[in-house]
Amino acid sequence: MTLLKPREYFLSVDNTPIWRRHLSWAKTDGKELRQLLVSKFGTNMVFMSLLLGAEMNVLFNSNRLCTEMRQDMQEMNLTPHFWCGIAIIVSVICTLFTIMTTFTSWSLVSVISDANSHALLRSSIGQYACFLPSKLIVAAIYSFILF
């Protein structure tokens, strides 16, 4: 229990700033660093697409509970179904933004040359831009768990 910091129970270590710095400095080959990030973006894109599909399935399901939820949202009845529907919509929005930022970061990193990848990906703005999807992934996952 003493090896983990309290925040690491809620946020995985690969989404922390220190992990980003270690990852960018651990790889000596620019091509290897770029391929590692591109593969991470691909994995994140698949995971977020599956999460979006699950959220949309819950939101537009035809069972009684989901129908009541949509009806309460249309009529603005402030019931628990209404708030659950709002949580699902927030989760869908977080997931859509995560997919957009992952795709944008993926395309930005893919076009960097091997010679320049270390300079760009080790800079503070490069690390922030490349790992912005990680922050949104955490928000999307926790909003999904919330509803």
Side-chain angles (χ1 to χ4, degrees):
M1 297 296 278
T2 60
L3 294 177
L4 294 177
K5 295 178 182 175
R7 71 171 182 220
E8 291 174 353
Y9 288 106
F10 303 103
L11 178 69
S12 64
V13 74
D14 62 336
N15 291 318
T16 58
I18 194 163
W19 180 266
R20 290 181 274 179
R21 283 192 297 273
H22 285 286
L23 181 66
S24 64
W25 287 96
K27 301 297 179 187
T28 57
D29 184 23
K31 182 179 181 180
E32 186 181 3
L33 177 61
R34 189 172 45 82
Q35 286 178 344
L36 178 71
L37 289 174
V38 167
S39 67
K40 183 176 180 180
F41 292 143
T43 304
N44 290 344
M45 187 69 83
V46 170
F47 178 68
M48 286 295 113
S49 298
L50 292 172
L51 188 66
L52 181 64
E55 293 165 348
M56 297 303 278
N57 190 21
V58 169
L59 188 61
F60 295 111
N61 201 332
S62 62
N63 68 7
R64 181 188 55 80
L65 188 64
C66 292
T67 304
E68 288 176 11
M69 177 189 67
R70 287 191 304 272
Q71 189 175 12
D72 285 346
M73 288 175 59
Q74 286 177 347
E75 297 170 359
M76 297 295 287
N77 295 334
L78 300 178
T79 62
H81 293 121
F82 174 83
W83 294 111
C84 185
I86 294 297
I88 292 172
I89 290 173
V90 168
S91 182
V92 166
I93 291 169
C94 284
T95 306
L96 283 173
F97 281 139
T98 303
I99 290 172
M100 288 186 338
T101 57
T102 301
F103 185 72
T104 303
S105 295
W106 190 359
S107 61
L108 287 172
V109 171
S110 295
V111 298
I112 298 174
S113 69
D114 296 340
N116 294 329
S117 64
H118 280 97
L120 291 172
L121 298 176
R122 287 180 179 168
S123 69
S124 60
I125 193 70
Q127 287 185 0
Y128 182 77
C130 289
F131 289 95
L132 179 64
S134 296
K135 295 177 182 181
L136 287 170
I137 285 171
V138 171
I141 289 172
Y142 280 127
S143 62
F144 178 76
I145 291 171
L146 179 68
F147 80 83

